[in-house]
């Protein structure tokens, strides 16, 4: 039976879930990205996973940093205004619920294109570098694998991006081909689909992009 939408996941507890249906003037899907377009994301990334690692490993971080990291879990913010703006001009979009790398792989696959990411352009959230340092990880790894972010990743023509009227970061570009790559010192390195794996084991958070 094809699954059209809703939350397909696994858990030990009974979960009552629901979906909402609506009508839109323009359908914004995951399959409209075109070569030459920008790859962008709202907000900052990495705090959700970094916060989880602080809790799991009982890391010693300051109260301010801990509050900023836990904010993603305790006070999630839906990007409604940004979504409305993107619905008019973006070519494709998806929310970061399972991990940035995984969402980019999904956009690339469904659009039949490749995606190039510039690691130095990724918006690393406050406290992420601190946590990465304590655990001996690259903060970019946390950003790529962090789920439950609920930021919006989207593709858009460069000339249209200037007229959006919302805050966002340009993190890469859409290219011909397939797959997701990091551009480091002019060289392409594959980025695996890091993030939460539904109905299976989570991917490790150690992409080889250095």
């Amino acid at each position: 039976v094809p699954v059209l939408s809703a939350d397909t996941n696994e858990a030990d507890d009974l979960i009552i879930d629901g979906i909402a249906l609506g009508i839109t003037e323009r359908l914004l899907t995951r399959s409209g990205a075109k070569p030459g377009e920008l790859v962008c994301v709202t907000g900052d990334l990495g705090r959700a996973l970094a916060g989880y690692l602080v809790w799991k490993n009982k890391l010693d971080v300051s109260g301010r940093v801990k509050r900023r990291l836990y904010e993603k879990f305790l006070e999630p913010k839906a990007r409604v205004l940004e979504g409305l703006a993107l619905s008019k001009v973006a070519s494709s979009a998806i929310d970061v619920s399972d991990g940035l790398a995984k969402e980019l792989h999904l956009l690339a696959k469904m659009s039949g294109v490749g995606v190039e990411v510039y690691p130095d352009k990724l918006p690393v959230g406050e406290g992420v570098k601190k946590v990465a340092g304590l655990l001996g990880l690259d903060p970019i790894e946390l950003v790529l694998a962090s789920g439950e972010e609920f930021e919006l990743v989207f593709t858009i023509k460069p000339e249209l991006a200037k007229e959006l009227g919302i805050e966002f970061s340009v993190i890469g570009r859409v290219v011909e081909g397939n797959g997701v790559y990091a551009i480091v010192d002019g060289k392409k390195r594959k980025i695996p689909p890091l993030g939460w794996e539904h109905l299976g084991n989570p991917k490790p958070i150690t992409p080889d992009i250095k």
Side-chain angles (χ1 to χ4, degrees), residues 118-132:
Y118 312 125
D120 60 330
K121 300 295 185 182
L122 293 174
V124 181
E126 182 180 351
V128 175
K129 292 182 179 179
K130 172 69 174 180
V131 174

Side-chain angles (χ1 to χ4, degrees), residues 176-197:
E176 295 184 356
N178 56 73
V180 180
Y181 300 86
I183 305 300
V184 182
D185 297 327
K187 298 179 180 179
K188 295 175 64 173
R189 305 287 179 85
K190 284 186 177 181
I191 297 179
L194 304 168
W196 176 254
E197 184 65 40

Side-chain angles (χ1 to χ4, degrees), residues 45-153:
L45 299 168
R47 284 189 288 147
L49 179 53
Y52 168 73
L53 293 174
V54 167
W55 170 80
K56 180 181 179 182
N57 297 284
K58 298 180 174 58
L59 299 181
D60 183 18
V61 298
S62 69
R64 171 186 164 78
V65 171
K66 185 177 292 186
R67 285 193 297 273
R68 287 291 289 154
L69 295 176
Y70 286 3
E71 184 181 40
K72 281 282 186 174
F73 295 113
L74 303 179
E75 301 178 32
K77 295 179 175 61
R79 295 294 187 177
V80 177
L81 295 179
E82 292 86 346
L84 289 172
L86 295 177
S87 69
K88 297 177 173 60
V89 293
S91 57
S92 70
I94 187 173
D95 72 312
V96 184
S97 55
D98 296 331
L100 175 62
K102 192 170 183 182
E103 315 301 6
L104 290 174
H105 272 275
L106 189 55
L107 281 181
K109 181 179 180 180
M110 296 191 71
S111 296
V113 296
V115 170
E116 293 182 350
V117 176
Y118 312 125
D120 60 330
K121 300 295 185 182
L122 293 174
V124 181
E126 182 180 351
V128 175
K129 292 182 179 179
K130 172 69 174 180
V131 174
L134 291 173
L135 295 174
L137 297 172
D138 186 332
I140 298 302
E141 297 175 359
L142 299 186
V143 169
L144 290 170
S146 184
E148 301 299 304
E149 293 280 352
F150 304 117
E151 300 295 347
L152 302 178
V153 179

